[in-house]
Amino acid sequence: MPEINPPHDCPLCPRLAEFRHANRALYPDFFNAPVPPWGDERARLVIVGLAPGLKGANKTGRPFTGDYAGDLLYATLKKFGLASGEFEARADDSLQLHNVVIVNGVRCVPPQNKPTGPEIANCRRFLSAALDHFETTTAYIALGRIAHDTLLTTLRERRASFPFGHGAEHHLTSGRRLFDSYHCSRYNTNTGVLTTEMFEDVIGRAAAFIKG
């Protein structure tokens, strides 16, 4: 079975490896390595993001930890009983996830937060291994179109059959459910593309589904 996590100095994407090397010099106290999945080993819900933020997960080593996107994501998960403890934007806070695991489609931070198509494809082997590892999964949330697309490709689903749209709910051929949301980035919330209410609607429906 393929490894769930890339090696610490993963060489698969030269641009990302070069960026990682540069960041280790600029920010020697940062995690600066492929960010592993984080959450409940018996998760029924897998949340798929795009890639680590430079001063978020790339800094802390935990998905959505250190930048605004985590503020909204973890507060919403707590609201629906999928997390407990206090989120303090650091990997050693008391936050815990329940029935949820978070994994990024691309594990290394990309320049300008924009991975290329080949980089997304290179990292898909690790997404596939992670999805296989969490055998109790019954639902997915894709945060943004790129996460949606790479998830469907990884699952060998036909993308055209499941078009991305915020709030869309897809019945996959496996019997699992896919819920789509715009990414919970500061840009999307500041511009009104995504409101707290819109995000809570998606998380709430996914929470209700996995709880039966």
Side-chain angles (χ1 to χ4, degrees), residues 117-145:
E119 289 163 354
I120 295 167
N122 281 343
C123 214
R124 202 168 281 139
R125 68 195 71 185
F126 303 109
L127 178 59
S128 179
L131 297 181
D132 288 343
H133 176 77
F134 297 104
E135 300 175 332
T136 51
T137 304
T138 59
Y140 308 97
I141 293 176
L143 298 178
R145 183 185 300 276

Side-chain angles (χ1 to χ4, degrees), residues 11 22 31 36 57 72 78 90 100 103 107 145 162 167 180 191 201:
F31 184 72
L72 178 57
K78 284 184 68 173
R90 51 189 177 83
V100 177
V103 59
R107 301 294 187 85
R145 183 185 300 276
F162 308 102
D180 284 337
T191 58
D201 172 68

Side-chain angles (χ1 to χ4, degrees), residues 8-32:
H8 184 76
D9 291 305
C10 183
L12 288 176
C13 303
R15 187 181 74 118
L16 301 190
E18 182 180 352
F19 193 52
R20 183 173 63 236
H21 180 75
N23 285 323
R24 286 177 179 170
L26 287 171
Y27 309 107
D29 295 331
F30 282 17
F31 184 72
N32 285 321

Side-chain angles (χ1 to χ4, degrees), residues 138-158:
T138 59
Y140 308 97
I141 293 176
L143 298 178
R145 183 185 300 276
I146 296 175
H148 167 96
D149 286 348
T150 195
L151 174 63
L152 289 176
T153 299
T154 303
L155 295 174
R156 296 182 173 85
E157 297 280 8
R158 186 170 176 267

